[in-house]
Amino acid sequence: MLKRTLAIAALFAALGTAHAQTGTVSAICSTDQAWCELAAQEFTRTTGIKVLQTRKATGEALAQIRAEASNPKTDIWWGGTGDPFYQAAETGLLDPYRPEYLNDLHGWAVRQYAMSQNYVGGFYTSAIGFGWNEDLLKKKKLPAPKCWKDLLDPRYKGDIETSHPASSGTAYTILAGLVQLMGEDQAFDYLKKLHKNVTQYTRSGTAQARSVAKGEVAIGVSFIFGFENERITNKFPVYSAAPCEGTSYEIGGIALIKGSRNREGARRYYDWLMSKEGQQIGARANSLQTPANKTFAPDPRIPKTDDVRLIKYDFEKYGRAAERKRLVDRWVREVESQPR
């Protein structure tokens, strides 16, 4: 009887361990929707671990993780600009994790671990630029923009779309980049002038490529890879350029949430996302950021940054929660409040 009882106890213990290893992982994904969905599907197919995943812009994701801090419902957060991840780390919302496969990653991804004390990993990188609908510009008899100063041309009034820095990590990367490129007061003077030409600020920074491709707006300001995808993959008359004065860039983030319910499953999803198999999912989903893993040849459609004038982006300073709040509050107060 004792042996039977011990055997049953061992069976339940084994089942409990199996459940902990293969139970549902709760994730927030902040990159393109297609990448989010395909990654979750492929991970489940490969491992048998289910993924309950929502897609949220980085600002919205950070707000949710903050709201859940006392009772975390999310295990892992991945994709989207790195600054909000730094803010989550600063406020104690993340668990540190330093993978054993750092030698498989590009130097910029490894530096992300070092700068964040291993709370935030570098997932991919891409540069900010402009995209435009060539047919629409010709119809309106407008030139294509090549520099930040070009966007201030009064002829572009109502023809530019970008995103809102309170909800979009892309928009915050643009804002913080302009502050570093021009100086803060000059950057805000520029943004006030640009505001007159902006038709709308979207919640998500990935919306601009589709808006431009569909002809809903002539010019978008976002990450270059999105516009290139619409031209190369979807065959829309969309072209892009990196600003002649210089531009900011992102290092997309990936992190484990502090107090998560399925730490083991989250770690396995994390490692798979950073692996060659997981990193190739981006291009398969037509999301053309430069992957962090360097052990395979990247998709040839991914835009090169060799000729892009990248600024020396201070991820540590502009990743701080107080700095982000200060700049976004100033933007809302001085830019968004202005009439158009």
Side-chain angles (χ1 to χ4, degrees):
M1 184 69 179
L2 179 59
K3 288 183 179 180
R4 184 165 179 260
T5 301
L6 290 173
I8 293 172
L11 175 61
F12 275 106
L15 289 172
T17 301
H19 178 74
Q21 292 175 344
T22 62
T24 301
V25 173
S26 179
I28 295 177
C29 176
S30 295
T31 189
D32 291 343
Q33 181 75 37
W35 191 350
C36 297
E37 292 176 356
L38 186 56
Q41 291 168 9
E42 287 295 302
F43 175 72
T44 298
R45 185 185 64 80
T46 302
T47 67
I49 300 174
K50 295 181 181 178
V51 180
L52 180 62
Q53 185 168 267
T54 57
R55 196 276 165 192
K56 288 182 179 288
T58 49
E60 295 176 326
L62 177 58
Q64 178 178 326
I65 291 167
R66 277 177 173 157
E68 296 175 353
S70 61
N71 183 24
K73 296 179 176 61
T74 303
D75 300 312
I76 179 174
W77 177 23
W78 66 279
T81 54
D83 291 328
F85 284 81
Y86 270 87
Q87 292 144 30
E90 181 188 354
T91 51
L93 300 173
L94 306 180
D95 269 341
Y97 182 51
R98 188 172 180 84
E100 297 177 358
Y101 44 81
L102 288 181
N103 288 339
D104 292 344
L105 309 180
H106 285 290
W108 48 262
V110 178
R111 285 193 294 275
Q112 195 86 327
Y113 285 97
M115 286 190 294
S116 68
Q117 288 76 54
N118 300 318
Y119 284 96
V120 183
F123 191 65
Y124 54 56
T125 188
S126 53
I128 291 289
F130 319 132
W132 61 88
N133 186 304
E134 187 76 4
D135 290 352
L136 200 51
L137 285 186
K138 286 180 179 178
K139 182 179 178 181
K140 291 173 174 281
K141 297 181 180 179
L142 294 173
K146 298 299 173 64
C147 304
W148 287 112
K149 60 182 175 59
D150 295 343
L151 297 184
L152 302 185
D153 190 326
R155 292 179 293 173
Y156 289 140
K157 184 175 177 62
D159 283 316
I160 299 174
E161 180 185 291
T162 187
S163 46
H164 197 296
S167 62
S168 165
T170 303
Y172 180 72
T173 300
I174 296 169
L175 170 59
L178 289 172
V179 167
Q180 292 169 80
L181 178 67
M182 301 177 178
E184 186 170 327
D185 289 340
Q186 292 88 340
F188 274 90
D189 286 342
Y190 172 84
L191 289 165
K192 290 173 196 175
K193 294 172 184 175
L194 177 64
H195 179 72
K196 297 175 183 178
N197 288 345
V198 173
T199 180
Q200 70 168 332
Y201 298 100
T202 61
R203 290 171 58 191
S204 171
T206 63
Q208 284 63 53
R210 288 300 296 155
S211 296
V212 170
K214 292 162 67 176
E216 295 174 354
V217 68
I219 300 167
V221 185
S222 183
F223 288 108
I224 292 172
F225 75 85
F227 301 116
E228 286 296 289
N229 178 53
E230 295 297 343
R231 177 177 63 84
I232 298 171
T233 307
N234 298 328
K235 310 303 181 185
F236 284 103
V238 174
Y239 293 86
S240 66
C244 68
E245 303 95 336
T247 192
S248 53
Y249 63 100
E250 70 170 332
I251 296 178
I254 183 168
L256 300 174
I257 306 304
K258 186 176 181 179
S260 64
R261 299 177 182 182
N262 189 351
R263 168 79 181 199
E264 175 61 19
R267 187 191 61 76
R268 288 186 63 184
Y269 192 28
Y270 185 119
D271 291 343
W272 184 87
L273 287 165
M274 293 296 284
S275 71
K276 180 173 114 175
E277 292 73 22
Q279 292 263 290
Q280 288 176 324
I281 294 291
R284 284 178 55 193
N286 296 320
S287 193
L288 303 180
Q289 298 96 320
T290 300
N293 193 303
K294 62 183 182 181
T295 63
F296 65 98
D299 191 291
R301 296 174 298 161
I302 294 174
K304 302 290 190 295
T305 58
D306 299 348
D307 298 325
V308 177
R309 296 182 63 182
L310 297 175
I311 67 170
K312 191 176 181 180
Y313 195 101
D314 190 339
F315 290 97
E316 187 172 2
K317 176 179 179 179
Y318 293 95
R320 292 177 187 148
E323 186 67 4
R324 178 184 183 277
K325 183 179 187 305
R326 185 183 71 80
L327 288 177
V328 172
D329 286 350
R330 182 174 180 181
W331 184 88
V332 169
R333 187 172 64 250
E334 297 185 15
V335 179
E336 187 182 26
S337 64
Q338 298 297 313
R340 288 203 291 268

